[in-house]
Amino acid sequence: MRKLVYYVAVTLDGFIAAEDGTFDGFVFEGDHMAGINADYPDTLPTQLREPFGFSDTPNRNFDTVLMGRHTYQVPGGLASPYAHLRQFVVSSSLTDTPDDVEVISSDVAGRVRALKEEDGLDIWLCGGGKLAAELLPQIDKLLLKIHPVVFGRGIPLFDGKADITKFQRTDARLFESGVSFMTYERP
């Protein structure tokens, strides 16, 4: 069975973006970039795979990406940001997407359970916080790029009511840039 993996950058105070949805405060230079990209090249937007040297690299971890509407429509974003993956956007209002981006407008948890039953690599939940809170019972693994920055306010890692859910740390990588890459899984 495939896993739903919430892979996201987060601040020290638990935000995945500023209040306006931007993430300019995150650290985009340093040793963590090469280290994490080498292990998770499938999470690079399609347009960045070639410049970063991963254009011919097969997907290693994910073959499907699931994102909320705000994550999909990030300012300056692309109509098909992860064309090398099967792309899903959760939205009750979005209707205008390319053919390779499917909109899920109802029974999100049911659709995720069905996707998890399919053969293939894991499913990447790349945002946002409201969707992560809604899907917390379905999330099997957390991959958190913890950046050494405090936003003070913004979009939380889990934005909404969620039951207490325990995860077990299974890996930790520390980088000179100050970024920590933490892996947590359901026990």
Side-chain angles (χ1 to χ4, degrees):
M1 178 187 258
R2 301 184 331 154
K3 293 180 180 177
L4 179 62
V5 180
Y6 189 21
Y7 173 91
V8 67
V10 63
T11 64
L12 291 172
D13 53 346
F15 296 107
I16 61 171
E19 289 177 304
D20 64 358
T22 61
F23 37 87
D24 298 339
F26 287 120
V27 180
F28 290 105
E29 295 179 358
D31 59 330
H32 68 283
M33 295 295 290
I36 295 171
N37 288 342
D39 291 339
Y40 294 92
D42 23 6
T43 62
L44 286 169
T46 303
Q47 73 174 12
L48 294 179
R49 287 174 64 97
E50 185 174 342
F52 280 87
F54 295 107
S55 59
D56 295 329
T57 303
N59 294 334
R60 295 181 186 152
N61 306 284
F62 307 109
D63 61 13
T64 305
V65 61
L66 179 68
M67 56 196 128
R69 182 180 59 82
H70 293 291
T71 299
Y72 174 68
Q73 292 183 319
V74 66
L78 304 170
S80 180
Y82 302 102
H84 58 284
L85 301 173
R86 191 170 160 204
Q87 302 174 91
F88 293 91
V89 177
V90 176
S91 174
S92 59
S93 61
L94 189 64
T95 57
D96 187 27
T97 61
D99 290 342
D100 65 339
V101 177
E102 184 177 331
V103 176
I104 301 172
S105 59
S106 63
D107 191 18
V108 178
R111 186 62 191 271
V112 168
R113 283 191 296 274
L115 287 170
K116 288 172 73 171
E117 292 292 330
E118 293 176 1
D119 290 334
L121 299 175
D122 288 337
I123 304 158
W124 171 30
L125 173 58
C126 77
K130 285 183 177 30
L131 183 57
E134 180 182 345
L135 290 176
L136 181 57
Q138 302 299 323
I139 296 173
D140 302 293
K141 187 176 187 178
L142 302 169
L143 296 175
L144 303 178
K145 297 178 285 187
I146 303 170
H147 288 251
V149 63
V150 172
F151 280 7
R153 58 188 173 278
I155 300 170
L157 183 63
F158 292 95
D159 188 4
K161 182 171 175 13
D163 292 332
I164 294 173
T165 305
K166 295 191 182 227
F167 287 86
Q168 178 179 352
R169 189 187 74 220
T170 56
D171 194 27
R173 292 173 62 191
L174 307 177
F175 294 94
E176 291 297 319
S177 64
V179 172
S180 302
F181 189 72
M182 308 298 283
T183 303
Y184 297 92
E185 297 187 57
R186 286 189 183 268

